[in-house]
Amino acid sequence: MIDCVENRLLTSRRGLLLGGASFAAWAYLPKFARAADGRDPRLVVVILRGALDGLATVAPIGDPDYAGLHGSIALAVDGAHPATKLDSFFALHPAMPEFARMYRAQHAAVIHAVATSYRDRSHFDGQDVLESGYAGPGRVQSGWLNRALEALPRGERVSSGLAVGPTTPLVLRGNAPTVGWAPVALPQAGDDTAMRLVDLYRHRDPALASALSQGLQLEKAASGDDMKPKPGNAVAQMRQVAGGAAKLMAADDGPRIAALAFDGWDTHANEGGPVGRLAFLLGGLDGALVEFENGLGERWRDTVVVVATEFGRTARINGTDGTDHGTGTIALLAGGAVKGGRVISDWPGLKPANLYEARDLKPTTDLRSVIKGVLQSQFGLSDQVLAQRVFPDSANARPMKGLVV
Amino acid sequence: MARDSQGALVALNRFGFGGRGGASGDLINAASDPRGFVKAELARPYGVLLEAPGLQSTPQLGQAVFAYQDQVKQAREAAKAAAPIEAPPVHAPTDQKADSRLRRNLSLNTVATEIAGQMAEAKPADSATKPDAMQPTAAAPAAAKPSQPLNVIQKTFRAEALARLQRAMMVDCGFTERLVAFWSNHFCISATKGELARMWAGAFEREAIRPHVLGRFADMLKAVEQHPAMLFFLDNQQSLGPDSRAGQNRKRGLNENLAREIMELHTLGVGGGYTQGDVTSLARIITGWTFAGRKGQLGAPGSFAFNANAHQPGPQVLLGKTYEATGLAQGEAALADIARHPSTANFIATKFVRHFVADDPPPALVARLRDVFVRTDGDLKALAIALVDSNEAWQAPLTKMRSPYDFLVASGRLLARVPEDPGPYLNGLNLLGQPLWAPAGPNGFPDTAAAWAAPEGMKLRLDIASQMGARLGPNIDPLDLLEFAAGEAASVETRRTIERAESRQQALALLLMSPELQRR
């Protein structure tokens, strides 16, 4: 509990959270640029906690079963908030115009019907598998991104990673050195957390429900956006975090690899379609990608941003206009180094017989293949290292070729 | 023995600081014999005392403050005397190559500093300023001014706070520590009164409260009212008997502050049957109760002293009884009588039950504890045992709200963290409106659910819980933690809410905010 309370109170100078020693050591690292082609590759891993609805973000509008399954929240390419057509089959959520622009410029790609090897429906375990890179949950306290760092020739290119946020995400934890950075004013409790708590209090402790609700309303009034159903700060926070990380990564002696997590993607109720809660979050993610593009400047050319989530959601919406925990979802790639402008998918179809357990988008692509493909192209890691050390026992998930320019 | 999960929940939360995580087995131990688990701590009378390396006595601390104040004074005078000669600015030799490289892309350090600066500008009303505003001599200046080394007062305050926090984290149940906190708040002083109060805040509790928590009320009362921290806090060292030699010489007289609070807040209670005349009488009776100053004329600097020169001569009538002029003994006799006054028994019993059982204390239980207090001549251990033995204390619904201190300690215990730096706790307490040893007035911090379950407070608790979740959540299994906190007594709704959280971080925040953790 120690550090978290303190963080709230940090002054600007202390806000750096950068361990002095490890930070200083950074300045002495040799040049990173690849001698062969002059590239100076960068990788950002963005984890969306809560299980993103891939079918709502990149909608298979060409699939005849999609509109029926996703019902009231399904996207369409016509109407008041038309989705952006990516090709003849897939359309992008209208809250992501910047990603659409990158896609058109061939600097963004979508991998659809993707999943880790995890097939159950616990967030905690799903995130553990996603980040540890092991086939099952709870195996290790290190992440695949850290083990990838370990496998790099030390001092040659990337020798340390940047963990963005109050803690190092599991994906970047391990033996390889990391530095941490968090914005000075840590995000306040997420709206989603507050809503869940108010709901619990309503059932168990009405007095606390009333007090907390009032407290939340007071704060919204104080921050001047009490007219809006949601406070605008989640989007601003995503941008702020991404912008700060991008600037650090743009420095000559800055980290080449970073990992960060955005919360709030668990959309059980009132998920919203082209507008609404998910749209709001996707807008934040879109803004974060722009912050990386702008903040990295010239380095964007050599950058790949991988956006991944622990699993997907049910293909059919539930009784509360949301979706429950599912399996297949999407991964997004963005950056100047991405060979983009395409949706990569072995589409399984949404007929009941084609769904996983008759309820979820069936995964046809192993997320590890996608990540291994990116790691190999960006940093030259061998098949063997990727299959044994970075993603243990993953020889069957071959690195996907041609994701990077 | 049968496992009693609900009993364990009451034992650990109503009487203690909550179950610890890790391998402590608190909840299981409490479940096998809830009452025995609570009472076990009462059998170790010396377990209430707190000794830790570096913690010093009140006179030693007083002398350290005097020395520190002298140093500051000398430094200020020296600075004034010295001519302000400014050193010429130093120019580093310019490295053209390095310059051009830096211009292309800034260094990481520069970027990081720049970002931090921008963010500070962007949020001028950041909560970082809040604790200082609430507490002029901030409890945790390290966070506010990282570059300045701590002075001896700040160091002492932090060491005292740390010792108290560590004790609270490590005890099995925490009943005696809760008793310490109760009595310390009942007989509160405030560290914001001045440098001496801040320096002495911890020692006051160690010396005047802890030795008597399982002893007699009269002894605690005497220790408290004779402690330099209390005499300083309520200005009694300035109070002079109008007819005393000092009073005559200095044309100054009584200060009723301490006398009034003794009767109103410490013993009889408002409406406890005393008059303004009694207040003035008691004020006269305790004139001369002071502490020796830096020159040590009355004794070792910083120690309690009776200054006969300031003491009002002659007999005094208090609550209908005449107290002869026996100097220091006059006041001690008066306090001893007030301590066993029926109003005192009633006031203490009511406050005790309100703290441990319910905001509206069950009258039958109050009456029983009042009788115990009277019958045992204020035996506080007997009082505590009577409380634990009562059925009301186990059957009353858990409607009390954890105070911020209880909440932070309970969270730390559940997360099995023994603090090595008190700063974050002190900051958290400032934020949540319960700065350690620094209530707004001599009536101490409030003790009702309404006070702590206020809208702004709940929102801030949620923010703090979320930050704990963000920092520590990744490493914990929230469902394991729920087992340590409440076991089978956890509600279905709480369990489900935690199971369904979208991340471990969120799950931990929700657990810390759950009714099982907030109510006691």
Side-chain angles (χ1 to χ4, degrees):
Chain A
M1 76 167 302
I2 295 233
D3 306 338
C4 45
V5 178
E6 188 171 40
N7 279 346
R8 191 190 169 85
L9 309 167
L10 289 172
T11 57
S12 59
R13 206 173 286 274
R14 292 276 309 277
L16 294 183
L17 277 196
L18 293 158
S22 56
F23 197 35
W26 263 75
Y28 298 101
L29 291 174
K31 288 285 183 191
F32 303 99
R34 286 213 304 223
D37 52 9
R39 287 185 65 220
D40 188 0
R42 279 162 172 78
L43 173 64
V44 179
V45 175
V46 178
I47 289 164
L48 306 183
R49 296 193 194 282
L52 168 71
D53 185 352
L55 290 172
T57 309
V58 178
I61 50 167
D63 190 309
D65 292 298
Y66 164 71
L69 285 170
H70 245 49
S72 61
I73 64 169
L75 299 181
V77 290
D78 46 22
H81 303 279
T84 311
K85 284 192 80 166
L86 295 178
D87 57 25
S88 61
F89 192 81
F90 292 105
L92 178 70
H93 197 287
M96 300 192 74
E98 299 290 349
F99 185 82
R101 173 181 57 76
M102 294 173 190
Y103 183 93
R104 283 194 298 274
Q106 310 216 322
H107 289 155
V110 177
I111 298 93
H112 219 316
V114 73
T116 68
S117 56
Y118 181 69
R119 289 292 172 272
D120 291 319
R121 295 189 171 88
S122 153
H123 290 302
F124 311 148
D125 289 347
Q127 287 163 24
D128 198 85
V129 170
L130 168 65
E131 297 185 59
S132 73
Y134 275 65
R139 306 271 175 89
V140 288
Q141 277 299 310
S142 70
W144 56 260
L145 191 53
N146 189 284
R147 293 195 301 275
L149 275 171
E150 266 195 293
L152 293 171
R154 215 149 286 196
E156 284 291 314
R157 294 182 196 136
V158 188
S159 293
S160 149
L162 173 69
V164 181
T167 51
T168 306
L170 176 60
V171 70
L172 198 46
R173 267 184 264 158
N175 295 328
T178 60
V179 291
W181 171 77
V184 174
L186 278 178
Q188 291 169 324
D191 231 24
D192 179 50
T193 309
M195 278 179 346
R196 288 171 195 247
L197 186 60
V198 170
D199 192 51
L200 170 60
Y201 284 168
R202 283 206 179 109
H203 286 99
R204 294 295 308 176
D205 203 323
L208 290 188
S210 156
L212 179 60
S213 302
Q214 285 177 48
L216 295 165
Q217 276 162 17
L218 281 176
E219 182 178 78
K220 284 182 192 177
S223 59
D225 56 6
D226 53 325
M227 298 306 286
K228 295 178 197 162
K230 309 264 178 220
N233 58 15
V235 163
Q237 279 166 11
M238 280 193 240
R239 293 192 73 125
Q240 184 190 36
V241 164
K247 279 189 190 169
L248 293 171
M249 292 184 80
D252 274 348
D253 52 353
R256 264 49 179 171
I257 285 179
L260 56 149
F262 294 139
D263 300 343
W265 305 86
D266 194 16
T267 46
H268 282 285
N270 305 316
E271 178 173 326
V275 291
R277 182 167 159 221
L278 181 63
F280 175 78
L281 291 170
L282 289 172
L285 176 63
D286 206 46
L289 293 175
V290 174
E291 291 292 333
F292 273 113
E293 183 183 28
N294 293 340
L296 280 162
E298 276 180 41
R299 298 301 170 201
W300 182 245
R301 182 169 50 103
D302 300 335
T303 298
V304 176
V305 181
V306 178
V307 182
T309 186
E310 67 261 28
F311 45 70
R313 312 196 68 83
T314 47
R316 184 185 299 280
I317 60 168
N318 63 20
T320 55
D321 294 326
T323 47
D324 294 317
H325 298 182
T327 310
T329 185
I330 56 167
L332 301 177
L333 303 181
V338 173
K339 197 183 281 182
R342 49 203 180 120
V343 179
I344 301 163
S345 177
D346 174 9
W347 189 247
L350 294 175
K351 298 237 171 294
N354 296 337
L355 295 176
Y356 179 74
E357 293 184 345
R359 51 176 269 157
D360 309 337
L361 174 63
K362 181 186 284 176
T364 51
T365 299
D366 193 321
L367 181 63
R368 292 173 296 183
S369 295
V370 179
I371 295 167
K372 284 162 90 171
V374 170
L375 286 173
Q376 189 155 72
S377 303
Q378 283 291 76
F379 303 115
L381 293 175
S382 71
D383 279 12
Q384 198 189 4
V385 164
L386 288 168
Q388 290 173 6
R389 288 167 61 186
V390 180
F391 291 97
D393 303 319
S394 69
N396 291 335
R398 311 271 311 154
M400 192 178 274
K401 304 285 182 194
L403 293 172
V404 172
V405 174
Chain B
M1 217 181 269
R3 294 256 311 263
D4 176 0
S5 279
Q6 186 60 33
L9 198 66
V10 174
L12 279 163
N13 297 294
R14 167 153 289 160
F15 295 107
F17 278 124
R20 288 169 296 174
S24 74
D26 284 345
L27 197 80
I28 294 166
N29 295 339
S32 66
D33 175 14
R35 279 175 211 236
F37 183 76
V38 174
K39 284 202 255 182
E41 285 182 353
L42 303 181
R44 298 192 289 268
Y46 298 108
V48 192
L49 300 179
L50 182 58
E51 284 167 10
L55 298 187
Q56 295 178 303
S57 71
T58 289
Q60 288 172 315
L61 294 170
Q63 286 159 42
V65 174
F66 298 146
Y68 167 74
Q69 289 169 338
D70 287 344
Q71 270 176 20
V72 171
K73 196 176 161 199
Q74 281 167 16
R76 202 181 294 132
E77 281 163 5
K80 216 184 283 174
I85 304 166
E86 282 190 26
V90 180
H91 292 286
T94 313
D95 179 343
Q96 292 293 338
K97 262 191 213 164
D99 249 2
S100 62
R101 184 161 46 81
L102 283 173
R103 217 169 282 132
R104 192 170 60 81
N105 242 348
L106 292 166
S107 81
L108 183 56
N109 260 315
T110 315
V111 176
T113 310
E114 193 185 279
I115 292 173
Q118 284 168 0
M119 285 178 173
E121 279 165 31
K123 286 201 80 179
D126 186 49
S127 53
T129 56
K130 232 171 179 174
D132 282 354
M134 286 162 61
Q135 213 178 341
T137 41
K145 290 174 191 166
S147 52
Q148 259 177 2
L150 299 179
N151 66 37
V152 66
I153 299 165
Q154 294 159 329
K155 276 187 201 161
T156 300
F157 190 87
R158 291 169 66 90
E160 297 276 3
L162 183 62
R164 192 200 217 223
L165 285 164
Q166 288 181 335
R167 166 66 62 82
M169 296 294 167
M170 292 189 290
V171 288
D172 293 343
C173 172
F175 185 39
T176 51
E177 287 304 301
R178 284 278 306 280
L179 289 168
V180 168
F182 171 81
W183 288 113
S184 186
N185 192 52
H186 177 78
F187 287 116
C188 68
I189 61 141
S190 176
T192 58
K193 176 79 174 182
E195 290 183 331
L196 278 170
R198 179 156 293 268
M199 191 74 165
W200 280 336
F204 169 71
E205 186 178 279
R206 284 188 290 112
E207 296 168 352
I209 304 290
R210 287 183 179 273
H212 309 294
V213 154
L214 299 179
R216 289 177 64 251
F217 178 77
D219 293 335
M220 189 188 288
L221 182 65
K222 179 182 158 191
V224 161
E225 313 302 358
Q226 291 188 343
H227 197 281
M230 183 61 81
L231 297 167
F232 177 69
F233 175 53
L234 292 178
D235 307 312
N236 206 65
Q237 90 281 17
Q238 299 180 30
S239 182
L240 307 176
D243 304 319
S244 70
R245 202 184 307 164
Q248 295 281 309
N249 288 346
R250 285 194 242 160
K251 310 277 187 249
R252 296 180 57 159
L254 277 187
N255 182 318
E256 293 181 356
N257 201 1
L258 179 59
R260 179 176 302 281
E261 305 309 8
I262 286 175
M263 290 199 277
E264 178 184 330
L265 299 173
H266 296 172
T267 58
L268 306 171
V270 179
Y274 61 92
T275 64
Q276 174 56 44
D278 291 320
V279 171
T280 310
S281 268
L282 182 57
R284 286 195 208 104
I285 288 173
I286 58 172
T287 45
W289 290 30
T290 186
F291 55 89
R294 63 181 68 224
K295 289 175 190 154
Q297 285 158 338
L298 294 165
S303 63
F304 172 73
F306 177 71
N307 181 3
N309 271 338
H311 184 65
Q312 174 72 7
Q316 300 294 336
V317 178
L318 174 70
L319 298 167
K321 180 174 168 182
T322 302
Y323 293 86
E324 296 303 329
T326 52
L328 175 60
Q330 186 184 35
E332 290 180 341
L335 283 189
D337 287 341
I338 295 174
R340 58 166 60 93
H341 195 283
S343 293
T344 299
N346 197 53
F347 183 57
I348 297 297
T350 306
K351 208 169 164 182
F352 205 65
V353 177
R354 177 174 295 126
H355 178 76
F356 282 101
V357 181
D359 288 358
D360 295 320
L365 181 56
V366 171
R368 210 171 323 133
L369 292 198
R370 183 188 58 215
D371 293 347
V372 168
F373 191 97
V374 169
R375 194 177 66 241
T376 62
D377 197 14
D379 182 337
L380 299 183
K381 185 175 173 181
L383 195 72
I385 289 172
L387 176 77
V388 180
D389 281 339
S390 77
N391 287 329
E392 290 97 325
W394 296 89
Q395 287 160 2
L398 296 165
T399 55
K400 291 290 290 186
M401 186 78 186
R402 277 212 162 108
S403 72
Y405 182 80
D406 290 8
F407 164 56
L408 294 179
V409 168
S411 303
R413 281 169 63 89
L414 187 57
L415 291 158
R417 293 178 84 83
V418 176
E420 286 168 14
D421 173 10
Y425 284 87
L426 296 173
N427 290 342
L429 289 170
N430 291 346
L431 262 181
L432 293 174
Q434 197 184 23
L436 186 64
W437 293 317
N443 51 340
F445 291 108
D447 194 21
T448 57
W452 297 129
E456 176 66 6
M458 290 305 296
K459 168 69 183 126
L460 286 168
R461 274 189 206 213
L462 175 57
D463 287 345
I464 286 181
S466 294
Q467 287 165 31
M468 286 187 217
R471 179 153 288 271
L472 301 173
N475 299 315
I476 57 105
D477 181 332
L479 291 169
D480 278 358
L481 229 48
L482 179 62
E483 289 309 307
F484 294 131
E488 290 158 21
S491 74
V492 176
E493 291 87 347
T494 294
R495 190 176 296 279
R496 196 179 296 142
T497 300
I498 290 164
E499 276 168 2
R500 289 182 179 174
E502 75 171 7
S503 63
R504 286 198 170 97
Q505 290 91 322
Q506 185 182 58
L508 177 54
L510 290 168
L511 171 60
L512 295 177
M513 290 304 291
S514 67
E516 284 84 345
L517 267 284
Q518 293 295 330
R519 298 287 191 181
R520 62 167 185 79

